[in-house]
Structure formats: C-alpha cells, structure tokens
Coordinates of all heavy atoms in Angstrom, one line a residue:
M11 N -50.2 94.0 172.9 CA -49.6 93.9 171.6 C -48.2 93.4 171.7 O -47.4 93.9 172.4 CB -49.7 95.3 170.9 CG -49.4 95.2 169.5 SD -50.1 96.7 168.8 CE -49.1 97.1 167.6
E12 N -47.8 92.4 170.8 CA -46.5 91.8 170.9 C -45.5 92.6 170.0 O -45.9 93.1 168.9 CB -46.5 90.4 170.4 CG -47.3 89.5 171.2 CD -47.3 88.1 170.7 OE1 -46.3 87.6 170.1 OE2 -48.4 87.4 170.7
K13 N -44.3 92.6 170.3 CA -43.2 93.2 169.5 C -42.4 92.0 168.9 O -42.1 91.1 169.6 CB -42.3 94.1 170.3 CG -42.9 95.4 170.7 CD -41.9 96.3 171.3 CE -42.5 97.6 171.6 NZ -41.5 98.6 172.0
H14 N -42.1 92.1 167.6 CA -41.4 91.1 166.9 C -40.1 91.7 166.4 O -40.1 92.8 165.8 CB -42.2 90.6 165.7 CG -43.4 89.9 166.1 ND1 -43.4 88.6 166.6 CD2 -44.7 90.3 166.1 CE1 -44.7 88.3 166.9 NE2 -45.5 89.3 166.5
D15 N -39.0 91.1 166.6 CA -37.7 91.5 166.0 C -37.5 91.0 164.6 O -38.4 90.3 164.1 CB -36.5 91.2 166.9 CG -36.4 89.7 167.1 OD1 -37.3 88.9 166.6 OD2 -35.4 89.3 167.7
K16 N -36.5 91.4 163.9 CA -36.2 91.0 162.5 C -36.1 89.5 162.3 O -36.5 89.0 161.3 CB -35.0 91.7 162.0 CG -35.2 93.2 161.8 CD -34.0 93.8 161.1 CE -34.2 95.2 160.8 NZ -33.0 95.8 160.1
T17 N -35.6 88.8 163.3 CA -35.4 87.4 163.1 C -36.7 86.6 163.2 O -36.9 85.5 162.7 CB -34.4 86.8 164.1 OG1 -34.9 87.1 165.4 CG2 -33.1 87.4 164.0
D18 N -37.7 87.3 163.8 CA -39.0 86.6 164.0 C -40.1 87.0 162.9 O -41.2 86.6 163.0 CB -39.6 87.0 165.4 CG -40.6 86.0 165.9 OD1 -40.6 84.9 165.4 OD2 -41.4 86.4 166.7
V19 N -39.7 87.8 161.9 CA -40.6 88.3 160.9 C -41.2 87.1 160.1 O -42.3 87.1 159.7 CB -39.9 89.3 160.0 CG1 -40.8 89.7 158.8 CG2 -39.6 90.6 160.8
G20 N -40.4 86.1 159.8 CA -40.8 85.0 159.0 C -41.9 84.2 159.7 O -42.7 83.5 159.0
S21 N -42.0 84.3 161.0 CA -43.0 83.5 161.7 C -44.3 84.2 161.8 O -45.3 83.6 162.2 CB -42.5 83.1 163.1 OG -42.3 84.3 163.8
I22 N -44.4 85.4 161.4 CA -45.7 86.1 161.4 C -46.5 85.7 160.2 O -46.0 85.7 159.1 CB -45.5 87.7 161.4 CG1 -44.7 88.1 162.6 CG2 -46.8 88.4 161.3 CD1 -44.3 89.6 162.5
P23 N -47.8 85.3 160.4 CA -48.5 84.8 159.2 C -48.7 85.9 158.2 O -49.0 87.1 158.6 CB -49.9 84.4 159.9 CG -49.6 84.2 161.3 CD -48.5 85.1 161.6
G24 N -48.6 85.6 156.9 CA -48.7 86.6 155.9 C -47.5 87.3 155.5 O -47.5 88.2 154.6
T25 N -46.3 87.1 156.2 CA -45.1 87.7 155.8 C -44.1 86.7 155.3 O -44.2 85.5 155.6 CB -44.4 88.4 157.0 OG1 -44.2 87.5 158.0 CG2 -45.4 89.5 157.5
L26 N -43.1 87.1 154.6 CA -42.1 86.3 154.0 C -40.8 86.5 154.7 O -40.5 87.6 155.1 CB -42.0 86.5 152.5 CG -43.2 86.3 151.6 CD1 -42.9 86.8 150.2 CD2 -43.5 84.8 151.6
P27 N -40.0 85.4 154.8 CA -38.7 85.6 155.4 C -37.8 86.5 154.5 O -38.1 86.7 153.3 CB -38.1 84.2 155.4 CG -39.2 83.3 155.0 CD -40.3 84.1 154.4
D28 N -36.8 87.1 155.1 CA -35.9 88.0 154.5 C -34.8 87.3 153.7 O -34.0 86.6 154.3 CB -35.3 89.0 155.5 CG -34.5 90.1 154.9 OD1 -34.7 90.3 153.7 OD2 -33.7 90.7 155.6
F29 N -34.9 87.3 152.4 CA -33.9 86.7 151.5 C -33.1 87.7 150.8 O -32.6 87.4 149.7 CB -34.6 85.7 150.5 CG -35.2 84.5 151.1 CD1 -36.6 84.4 151.0 CD2 -34.5 83.6 151.8 CE1 -37.2 83.3 151.6 CE2 -35.1 82.5 152.4 CZ -36.4 82.3 152.3
R30 N -32.9 88.9 151.3 CA -32.1 89.9 150.6 C -30.7 89.5 150.3 O -30.1 90.0 149.3 CB -32.1 91.2 151.4 CG -33.4 92.0 151.2 CD -33.3 93.3 151.9 NE -34.4 93.3 152.8 CZ -34.5 94.0 153.9 NH1 -33.5 94.8 154.2 NH2 -35.5 93.9 154.7
G31 N -30.1 88.6 151.0 CA -28.7 88.2 150.7 C -28.6 87.5 149.4 O -27.6 87.5 148.8
N32 N -29.7 86.8 149.0 CA -29.6 86.0 147.8 C -30.2 86.7 146.6 O -30.1 86.2 145.5 CB -30.4 84.7 148.0 CG -29.8 83.8 149.0 OD1 -28.6 83.8 149.1 ND2 -30.6 83.0 149.7
D33 N -30.7 87.9 146.7 CA -31.3 88.6 145.6 C -30.3 88.9 144.5 O -30.6 88.8 143.3 CB -31.9 90.0 146.1 CG -33.3 89.7 146.7 OD1 -33.8 88.6 146.5 OD2 -33.8 90.7 147.3
G34 N -29.1 89.3 144.9 CA -28.1 89.6 143.9 C -27.7 88.4 143.0 O -27.6 88.5 141.8
S35 N -27.6 87.3 143.6 CA -27.2 86.1 142.8 C -28.4 85.6 142.0 O -28.3 85.1 140.9 CB -26.7 85.0 143.7 OG -27.7 84.6 144.7
L36 N -29.6 85.7 142.6 CA -30.8 85.3 141.9 C -31.0 86.2 140.6 O -31.3 85.7 139.6 CB -32.0 85.4 142.8 CG -33.4 85.0 142.2 CD1 -33.3 83.5 141.7 CD2 -34.5 85.2 143.2
V37 N -30.9 87.5 140.8 CA -31.1 88.4 139.7 C -30.0 88.1 138.6 O -30.3 88.1 137.4 CB -31.0 89.9 140.1 CG1 -30.9 90.8 139.0 CG2 -32.2 90.2 141.0
S38 N -28.8 87.8 139.0 CA -27.7 87.5 138.1 C -28.0 86.3 137.3 O -27.8 86.2 136.1 CB -26.4 87.4 138.9 OG -25.4 86.9 138.0
V39 N -28.5 85.2 138.0 CA -28.8 84.0 137.3 C -30.0 84.2 136.4 O -30.0 83.7 135.2 CB -29.2 82.9 138.4 CG1 -29.8 81.7 137.7 CG2 -27.9 82.5 139.2
L40 N -31.0 84.9 136.7 CA -32.1 85.2 135.8 C -31.7 86.0 134.6 O -32.2 85.7 133.5 CB -33.3 85.9 136.6 CG -34.0 85.0 137.6 CD1 -35.0 85.8 138.4 CD2 -34.6 83.8 137.0
K41 N -30.8 87.0 134.8 CA -30.4 87.7 133.7 C -29.6 86.9 132.7 O -29.7 87.0 131.5 CB -29.5 88.9 134.1 CG -30.2 90.1 134.7 CD -29.3 91.2 135.1 CE -30.0 92.3 135.7 NZ -29.1 93.4 136.1
T42 N -28.7 86.0 133.3 CA -28.0 85.1 132.4 C -28.9 84.1 131.6 O -28.8 83.9 130.4 CB -27.0 84.2 133.3 OG1 -26.2 85.1 134.0 CG2 -26.2 83.3 132.4
L43 N -29.9 83.6 132.3 CA -30.9 82.7 131.7 C -31.7 83.4 130.6 O -31.9 82.9 129.5 CB -31.8 82.1 132.7 CG -32.9 81.1 132.2 CD1 -32.2 79.9 131.7 CD2 -33.8 80.7 133.4
L44 N -32.1 84.7 130.9 CA -32.9 85.4 129.9 C -32.0 85.8 128.7 O -32.5 85.6 127.5 CB -33.4 86.7 130.5 CG -34.2 87.6 129.6 CD1 -35.5 86.9 129.2 CD2 -34.6 88.9 130.3
F45 N -30.8 86.1 128.9 CA -29.8 86.4 127.8 C -29.7 85.2 126.9 O -29.8 85.3 125.7 CB -28.5 86.9 128.4 CG -27.4 87.1 127.3 CD1 -27.5 88.1 126.4 CD2 -26.4 86.1 127.1 CE1 -26.5 88.3 125.4 CE2 -25.5 86.2 126.2 CZ -25.5 87.3 125.3
F46 N -29.4 84.1 127.5 CA -29.2 82.9 126.6 C -30.5 82.4 126.0 O -30.4 81.7 125.0 CB -28.5 81.8 127.4 CG -27.0 82.0 127.5 CD1 -26.4 82.5 128.7 CD2 -26.1 81.8 126.5 CE1 -25.1 82.8 128.8 CE2 -24.8 82.0 126.5 CZ -24.3 82.5 127.7
T47 N -31.6 82.6 126.6 CA -32.9 82.2 126.0 C -33.1 83.0 124.8 O -33.5 82.5 123.7 CB -34.0 82.4 127.0 OG1 -33.8 81.6 128.2 CG2 -35.4 82.1 126.4
I48 N -32.9 84.3 124.9 CA -33.1 85.2 123.7 C -32.1 84.9 122.6 O -32.4 84.8 121.4 CB -33.0 86.7 124.1 CG1 -34.2 87.1 125.0 CG2 -32.9 87.6 122.9 CD1 -34.1 88.4 125.6
L49 N -30.8 84.6 123.0 CA -29.8 84.2 122.1 C -30.1 82.9 121.4 O -29.9 82.7 120.2 CB -28.5 84.1 122.8 CG -27.2 84.1 121.9 CD1 -27.1 85.4 121.2 CD2 -26.0 83.9 122.8
M50 N -30.7 81.9 122.2 CA -31.0 80.6 121.6 C -32.2 80.7 120.6 O -32.2 80.0 119.6 CB -31.5 79.7 122.7 CG -31.9 78.3 122.3 SD -30.6 77.4 121.4 CE -29.7 76.9 122.8
I51 N -33.0 81.7 120.7 CA -34.1 81.9 119.8 C -33.7 82.7 118.6 O -34.0 82.3 117.4 CB -35.3 82.6 120.5 CG1 -35.9 81.6 121.5 CG2 -36.4 83.0 119.5 CD1 -36.9 82.3 122.5
T52 N -33.0 83.8 118.8 CA -32.7 84.7 117.7 C -31.5 84.3 116.8 O -31.5 84.4 115.6 CB -32.5 86.1 118.2 OG1 -31.4 86.1 119.1 CG2 -33.7 86.6 118.8
L53 N -30.4 83.8 117.4 CA -29.2 83.5 116.7 C -29.4 82.4 115.6 O -29.1 82.6 114.5 CB -28.1 83.2 117.6 CG -26.7 83.0 116.9 CD1 -26.2 84.4 116.4 CD2 -25.7 82.5 117.9
P54 N -29.9 81.2 116.0 CA -30.1 80.2 114.9 C -31.0 80.6 113.8 O -30.7 80.3 112.6 CB -30.6 79.0 115.7 CG -30.2 79.2 117.1 CD -30.2 80.7 117.3
I55 N -32.1 81.2 114.2 CA -33.1 81.6 113.1 C -32.5 82.7 112.2 O -32.6 82.7 111.0 CB -34.4 82.1 113.8 CG1 -35.1 81.0 114.5 CG2 -35.3 82.8 112.7 CD1 -36.3 81.4 115.3
G56 N -31.8 83.7 112.9 CA -31.2 84.7 112.1 C -30.1 84.2 111.2 O -30.0 84.6 110.0
L57 N -29.2 83.3 111.7 CA -28.2 82.7 110.9 C -28.7 81.9 109.8 O -28.1 81.8 108.7 CB -27.2 81.9 111.8 CG -26.2 82.7 112.6 CD1 -25.4 81.8 113.5 CD2 -25.3 83.5 111.6
Y58 N -29.8 81.2 110.1 CA -30.4 80.3 109.0 C -30.8 81.2 107.8 O -30.4 80.9 106.7 CB -31.7 79.6 109.6 CG -32.4 78.8 108.5 CD1 -31.9 77.6 108.1 CD2 -33.5 79.3 107.9 CE1 -32.6 76.8 107.1 CE2 -34.2 78.6 106.9 CZ -33.7 77.4 106.5 OH -34.3 76.7 105.5
F59 N -31.6 82.2 108.0 CA -32.0 83.0 106.9 C -31.0 83.8 106.2 O -30.9 84.0 105.0 CB -33.2 83.9 107.3 CG -34.5 83.1 107.5 CD1 -35.0 82.9 108.8 CD2 -35.1 82.5 106.5 CE1 -36.1 82.2 109.0 CE2 -36.3 81.7 106.7 CZ -36.8 81.6 108.0
T60 N -30.0 84.4 107.0 CA -29.0 85.2 106.4 C -28.0 84.3 105.7 O -27.5 84.7 104.6 CB -28.2 86.0 107.5 OG1 -27.8 85.2 108.5 CG2 -29.1 87.1 108.0
S61 N -27.6 83.2 106.2 CA -26.7 82.3 105.5 C -27.3 81.7 104.3 O -26.7 81.6 103.2 CB -26.2 81.2 106.4 OG -27.2 80.3 106.8
K62 N -28.6 81.4 104.3 CA -29.3 80.9 103.1 C -29.3 81.9 102.0 O -29.0 81.6 100.9 CB -30.7 80.5 103.5 CG -31.5 79.9 102.3 CD -32.9 79.7 102.6 CE -33.7 79.2 101.5 NZ -33.5 79.9 100.2
S63 N -29.8 83.1 102.4 CA -29.9 84.2 101.3 C -28.6 84.7 100.8 O -28.4 84.8 99.6 CB -30.8 85.3 101.9 OG -32.0 84.8 102.2
F64 N -27.8 85.1 101.8 CA -26.6 85.9 101.4 C -25.3 85.0 101.1 O -24.6 85.2 100.2 CB -26.2 86.9 102.5 CG -27.3 87.9 102.6 CD1 -28.0 88.0 103.8 CD2 -27.6 88.8 101.6 CE1 -29.0 89.0 103.9 CE2 -28.6 89.8 101.7 CZ -29.3 89.9 102.9
L65 N -25.1 84.0 102.0 CA -23.9 83.2 101.9 C -24.0 82.1 100.8 O -23.3 82.1 99.9 CB -23.5 82.6 103.2 CG -22.3 81.7 103.2 CD1 -21.0 82.5 102.9 CD2 -22.2 80.9 104.5
F66 N -25.1 81.3 100.9 CA -25.2 80.1 100.1 C -25.8 80.4 98.7 O -25.3 79.9 97.7 CB -25.9 79.0 100.8 CG -25.2 78.5 102.0 CD1 -25.8 78.6 103.2 CD2 -24.0 77.9 101.9 CE1 -25.1 78.1 104.4 CE2 -23.3 77.5 103.0 CZ -23.9 77.6 104.3
E67 N -26.8 81.3 98.6 CA -27.4 81.6 97.3 C -26.7 82.7 96.6 O -26.4 82.5 95.4 CB -28.9 81.9 97.5 CG -29.7 80.7 97.9 CD -31.2 81.0 98.1 OE1 -31.6 82.1 98.0 OE2 -31.9 80.0 98.4
A68 N -26.5 83.8 97.3 CA -25.9 85.0 96.5 C -24.4 84.8 96.4 O -23.9 85.0 95.2 CB -26.2 86.2 97.3
F69 N -23.7 84.5 97.4 CA -22.2 84.5 97.3 C -21.7 83.2 96.7 O -20.8 83.3 95.8 CB -21.6 84.7 98.7 CG -20.1 84.9 98.8 CD1 -19.5 86.0 98.2 CD2 -19.4 83.9 99.3 CE1 -18.2 86.1 98.2 CE2 -18.0 84.0 99.3 CZ -17.4 85.1 98.8
L70 N -22.1 82.1 97.2 CA -21.6 80.8 96.7 C -22.4 80.3 95.5 O -21.9 79.3 94.8 CB -21.6 79.8 97.8 CG -20.6 80.1 99.0 CD1 -20.8 79.1 100.1 CD2 -19.2 80.2 98.5
G71 N -23.6 80.8 95.2 CA -24.3 80.4 94.0 C -25.0 79.0 94.1 O -25.3 78.4 93.1
Y72 N -25.3 78.5 95.3 CA -26.0 77.2 95.5 C -27.4 77.4 95.1 O -28.0 78.4 95.1 CB -25.9 76.7 96.9 CG -24.5 76.2 97.3 CD1 -24.3 76.1 98.7 CD2 -23.5 76.0 96.4 CE1 -23.0 75.6 99.1 CE2 -22.3 75.6 96.8 CZ -22.0 75.4 98.2 OH -20.8 74.9 98.6
S73 N -28.0 76.2 94.7 CA -29.5 76.3 94.4 C -30.3 76.4 95.7 O -29.8 76.3 96.8 CB -29.9 75.0 93.7 OG -29.8 73.9 94.6
S74 N -31.6 76.7 95.5 CA -32.4 77.0 96.7 C -32.5 75.7 97.6 O -32.5 75.8 98.8 CB -33.8 77.4 96.2 OG -34.6 77.6 97.3
N75 N -32.6 74.5 96.9 CA -32.7 73.3 97.7 C -31.4 73.0 98.5 O -31.5 72.6 99.6 CB -33.1 72.1 96.8 CG -34.5 72.2 96.3 OD1 -35.3 72.8 96.9 ND2 -34.7 71.5 95.2
D76 N -30.3 73.2 97.9 CA -29.0 73.0 98.5 C -28.8 74.0 99.7 O -28.3 73.7 100.7 CB -27.9 73.1 97.6 CG -27.8 71.9 96.6 OD1 -28.4 70.9 96.9 OD2 -27.1 72.0 95.6
S77 N -29.2 75.2 99.4 CA -29.0 76.3 100.5 C -29.9 76.0 101.7 O -29.5 76.3 102.8 CB -29.3 77.7 99.9 OG -30.6 77.8 99.6
Y78 N -31.0 75.4 101.5 CA -31.8 75.0 102.7 C -31.1 74.0 103.6 O -31.0 74.2 104.8 CB -33.1 74.3 102.3 CG -34.2 75.2 101.8 CD1 -34.8 75.0 100.6 CD2 -34.7 76.3 102.5 CE1 -35.8 75.8 100.1 CE2 -35.7 77.1 102.1 CZ -36.2 76.9 100.8 OH -37.2 77.7 100.4
F79 N -30.5 73.1 103.0 CA -29.7 72.0 103.7 C -28.5 72.6 104.5 O -28.3 72.4 105.7 CB -29.3 71.0 102.8 CG -28.4 69.9 103.4 CD1 -29.0 68.9 104.2 CD2 -27.1 69.8 103.2 CE1 -28.2 68.0 104.8 CE2 -26.3 68.9 103.7 CZ -26.9 67.9 104.6
Y80 N -27.7 73.4 103.8 CA -26.5 74.0 104.4 C -26.8 75.1 105.4 O -26.2 75.2 106.4 CB -25.6 74.5 103.3 CG -25.0 73.4 102.5 CD1 -25.3 73.3 101.1 CD2 -24.2 72.4 103.0 CE1 -24.8 72.3 100.3 CE2 -23.7 71.4 102.3 CZ -24.0 71.4 100.9 OH -23.5 70.3 100.2
A81 N -27.9 75.8 105.2 CA -28.3 76.8 106.2 C -28.8 76.1 107.5 O -28.6 76.6 108.6 CB -29.4 77.7 105.6
A82 N -29.5 75.0 107.3 CA -29.9 74.2 108.5 C -28.7 73.7 109.3 O -28.7 73.7 110.6 CB -30.8 73.1 108.1
I83 N -27.6 73.3 108.6 CA -26.4 72.9 109.3 C -25.8 74.1 110.1 O -25.4 73.9 111.3 CB -25.4 72.3 108.3 CG1 -25.9 71.0 107.8 CG2 -24.1 72.1 109.0 CD1 -25.1 70.4 106.7
V84 N -25.8 75.3 109.5 CA -25.3 76.5 110.2 C -26.2 76.7 111.4 O -25.6 77.1 112.5 CB -25.3 77.7 109.3 CG1 -25.0 79.0 110.0 CG2 -24.3 77.5 108.2
A85 N -27.5 76.6 111.3 CA -28.4 76.9 112.5 C -28.2 75.9 113.6 O -28.1 76.2 114.8 CB -29.8 76.9 112.0
V86 N -28.0 74.6 113.2 CA -27.7 73.6 114.3 C -26.4 73.8 115.0 O -26.3 73.7 116.2 CB -27.8 72.2 113.6 CG1 -27.3 71.1 114.6 CG2 -29.2 71.8 113.2
L87 N -25.4 74.2 114.2 CA -24.1 74.5 114.8 C -24.2 75.7 115.8 O -23.6 75.8 116.8 CB -23.1 74.8 113.7 CG -22.6 73.6 113.0 CD1 -21.7 74.0 111.8 CD2 -21.9 72.6 113.8
A88 N -25.0 76.7 115.4 CA -25.3 77.9 116.3 C -25.9 77.5 117.6 O -25.6 78.0 118.6 CB -26.1 78.9 115.5
V89 N -26.9 76.6 117.5 CA -27.5 76.1 118.7 C -26.5 75.4 119.6 O -26.5 75.6 120.8 CB -28.7 75.1 118.3 CG1 -29.2 74.3 119.6 CG2 -29.8 75.8 117.7
H90 N -25.6 74.6 119.1 CA -24.6 73.9 119.9 C -23.7 74.9 120.5 O -23.2 74.7 121.6 CB -23.9 72.9 119.0 CG -24.7 71.6 118.8 ND1 -25.6 71.5 117.8 CD2 -24.7 70.5 119.5 CE1 -26.2 70.4 117.8 NE2 -25.7 69.7 118.9
V91 N -23.3 75.9 119.8 CA -22.4 77.0 120.3 C -23.0 77.7 121.5 O -22.4 77.9 122.5 CB -21.9 77.9 119.2 CG1 -21.2 79.1 119.8 CG2 -21.0 77.2 118.2
V92 N -24.3 78.1 121.3 CA -25.0 78.8 122.4 C -25.2 77.9 123.6 O -25.0 78.3 124.7 CB -26.4 79.3 121.9 CG1 -27.2 79.8 123.0 CG2 -26.2 80.4 120.8
L93 N -25.5 76.6 123.4 CA -25.6 75.7 124.5 C -24.3 75.5 125.3 O -24.2 75.5 126.5 CB -26.1 74.3 124.1 CG -27.6 74.3 123.8 CD1 -28.0 72.9 123.2 CD2 -28.4 74.5 125.1
A94 N -23.2 75.4 124.5 CA -21.9 75.3 125.1 C -21.5 76.5 125.9 O -21.0 76.4 127.0 CB -20.8 75.0 124.1
L95 N -21.8 77.7 125.4 CA -21.5 78.9 126.1 C -22.4 79.0 127.3 O -21.9 79.5 128.4 CB -21.8 80.1 125.2 CG -20.8 80.4 124.1 CD1 -21.3 81.5 123.2 CD2 -19.4 80.8 124.7
F96 N -23.6 78.6 127.3 CA -24.5 78.7 128.5 C -23.9 77.8 129.6 O -23.9 78.1 130.7 CB -25.9 78.3 128.1 CG -26.8 78.2 129.3 CD1 -27.2 79.3 130.0 CD2 -27.2 76.9 129.8 CE1 -28.0 79.2 131.2 CE2 -28.0 76.8 130.9 CZ -28.4 78.0 131.6
V97 N -23.5 76.6 129.2 CA -23.0 75.6 130.2 C -21.7 76.2 130.8 O -21.5 76.1 132.0 CB -22.7 74.2 129.6 CG1 -21.9 73.4 130.5 CG2 -24.1 73.6 129.2
Y98 N -20.8 76.8 130.0 CA -19.6 77.4 130.4 C -19.9 78.5 131.4 O -19.3 78.6 132.5 CB -18.8 77.9 129.2 CG -17.5 78.6 129.6 CD1 -16.4 77.9 130.1 CD2 -17.4 80.0 129.6 CE1 -15.2 78.5 130.5 CE2 -16.3 80.6 130.0 CZ -15.2 79.9 130.4 OH -14.1 80.6 130.8
V99 N -20.8 79.4 131.1 CA -21.1 80.6 131.9 C -21.8 80.1 133.2 O -21.4 80.6 134.3 CB -22.0 81.6 131.2 CG1 -22.5 82.6 132.1 CG2 -21.2 82.3 130.1
A100 N -22.7 79.2 133.1 CA -23.4 78.7 134.3 C -22.4 77.9 135.2 O -22.5 78.1 136.4 CB -24.5 77.7 133.9
W101 N -21.5 77.2 134.7 CA -20.5 76.5 135.5 C -19.6 77.5 136.2 O -19.4 77.3 137.4 CB -19.7 75.6 134.6 CG -18.7 74.7 135.3 CD1 -17.4 75.1 135.6 CD2 -18.9 73.5 135.9 NE1 -16.8 74.1 136.3 CE2 -17.7 73.1 136.5 CE3 -20.0 72.6 136.0 CZ2 -17.6 71.9 137.2 CZ3 -19.9 71.4 136.6 CH2 -18.7 71.1 137.3
N102 N -19.1 78.5 135.5 CA -18.2 79.4 136.2 C -19.0 80.3 137.2 O -18.4 80.7 138.2 CB -17.6 80.3 135.1 CG -16.5 79.6 134.4 OD1 -15.9 78.7 134.9 ND2 -16.2 80.0 133.2
E103 N -20.2 80.6 136.9 CA -21.0 81.4 137.8 C -21.3 80.6 139.1 O -21.2 81.2 140.2 CB -22.3 81.9 137.2 CG -23.1 82.8 138.0 CD -24.3 83.3 137.2 OE1 -25.3 82.6 137.1 OE2 -24.3 84.4 136.6
G104 N -21.6 79.4 138.9 CA -21.9 78.5 140.1 C -20.7 78.3 140.9 O -20.7 78.4 142.2
S105 N -19.5 78.1 140.3 CA -18.3 77.9 141.1 C -17.8 79.2 141.8 O -17.3 79.1 142.9 CB -17.2 77.3 140.2 OG -16.8 78.2 139.2
R106 N -18.1 80.3 141.1 CA -17.7 81.6 141.7 C -18.6 81.9 143.0 O -18.1 82.3 144.0 CB -17.9 82.7 140.7 CG -17.5 84.1 141.3 CD -17.9 85.1 140.3 NE -19.2 84.8 139.8 CZ -20.1 85.7 139.4 NH1 -19.8 86.9 139.4 NH2 -21.2 85.4 138.9
Q107 N -19.9 81.6 142.8 CA -20.8 81.8 144.0 C -20.4 80.8 145.1 O -20.5 81.2 146.3 CB -22.2 81.7 143.6 CG -22.7 82.8 142.7 CD -24.1 82.5 142.2 OE1 -24.7 81.5 142.4 NE2 -24.6 83.5 141.5
W108 N -20.0 79.6 144.8 CA -19.7 78.6 145.8 C -18.4 79.1 146.5 O -18.3 79.0 147.7 CB -19.5 77.3 145.1 CG -19.1 76.2 146.1 CD1 -19.9 75.6 146.9 CD2 -17.8 75.7 146.3 NE1 -19.2 74.7 147.7 CE2 -17.9 74.7 147.3 CE3 -16.5 75.9 145.7 CZ2 -16.8 74.0 147.7 CZ3 -15.5 75.2 146.1 CH2 -15.6 74.2 147.1
R109 N -17.4 79.6 145.8 CA -16.2 80.1 146.4 C -16.5 81.3 147.3 O -15.9 81.4 148.4 CB -15.2 80.5 145.3 CG -14.5 79.3 144.7 CD -13.3 79.8 143.9 NE -13.6 80.8 142.9 CZ -13.9 80.7 141.6 NH1 -13.9 79.5 141.1 NH2 -14.2 81.7 140.9
E110 N -17.3 82.2 146.9 CA -17.7 83.4 147.7 C -18.4 83.0 148.9 O -18.2 83.5 150.0 CB -18.5 84.4 146.9 CG -17.7 85.1 145.8 CD -18.6 86.0 144.9 OE1 -19.8 86.0 145.1 OE2 -18.0 86.6 144.0
G111 N -19.3 82.0 148.8 CA -20.0 81.5 150.0 C -19.2 80.8 150.9 O -19.4 80.8 152.1
K112 N -18.2 80.1 150.4 CA -17.3 79.3 151.3 C -16.3 80.2 152.1 O -15.9 79.9 153.2 CB -16.4 78.3 150.5 CG -15.6 77.4 151.3 CD -15.1 76.3 150.4 CE -14.4 75.3 151.3 NZ -14.3 74.0 150.9
Q113 N -16.0 81.4 151.5 CA -15.1 82.3 152.2 C -15.8 83.1 153.3 O -15.1 83.6 154.2 CB -14.5 83.3 151.2 CG -13.5 82.7 150.2 CD -13.0 83.7 149.2 OE1 -13.5 84.8 149.1 NE2 -12.1 83.2 148.3
D114 N -17.1 83.2 153.2 CA -17.8 83.9 154.3 C -17.7 83.3 155.6 O -17.5 82.3 156.0 CB -19.3 84.1 153.9 CG -19.4 85.1 152.8 OD1 -18.5 85.9 152.6 OD2 -20.5 85.1 152.2

C-alpha cells in the first residue's frame, strides 16, 4: 500500500486538488455577484412602481400615461447606477486581491 503526502493528493484518481487558499476570495466574489444580481432585479422594478404610483401620480399629479414614461426613465437610471456600482466594486476588489497576491 502506497502512502501519499498532501502535495500528491491531486494526483490520486477521484480526488480534487486543495484550493483552500482561494476559497475566501471566491466566496467574496460570489457574495458580491449575488448581492448585485438581487439589487439589479429588485431596485429598478421597485423604483418603477413606487415612483409611478407615489411620486408621479399622487405627488406630482401626472396622468397614468405620462407616469409610465417617467417611471421607466427612473428604472433605467437605477439600472445604470447599479451597473456602475458593480463595476466600481469589482474593480476595487480585483485590484485589492492583486495587491495582496503580489505582496505574498
């Protein structure tokens, strides 16, 4: 019977190499992606209906047809803000991980 050390575990059929060093960054990236995915779905839809009902129809007194148009503009602006925030966070997260990896 052969003995295998930790560095040889990936060569045993049916086992996976040890990637524990990357789990923290992978989990962080997935959490960021999940957060912005949920935000991308809920924020524009929520802002569309709340701005249509409360801001444009109730508060400003626009007609139903006009409020559809302006609420859609608010939703599109929300999509752009979420995308810009995602790019900003992803850029900073990637450069931080690159700096930490370079210092090692």
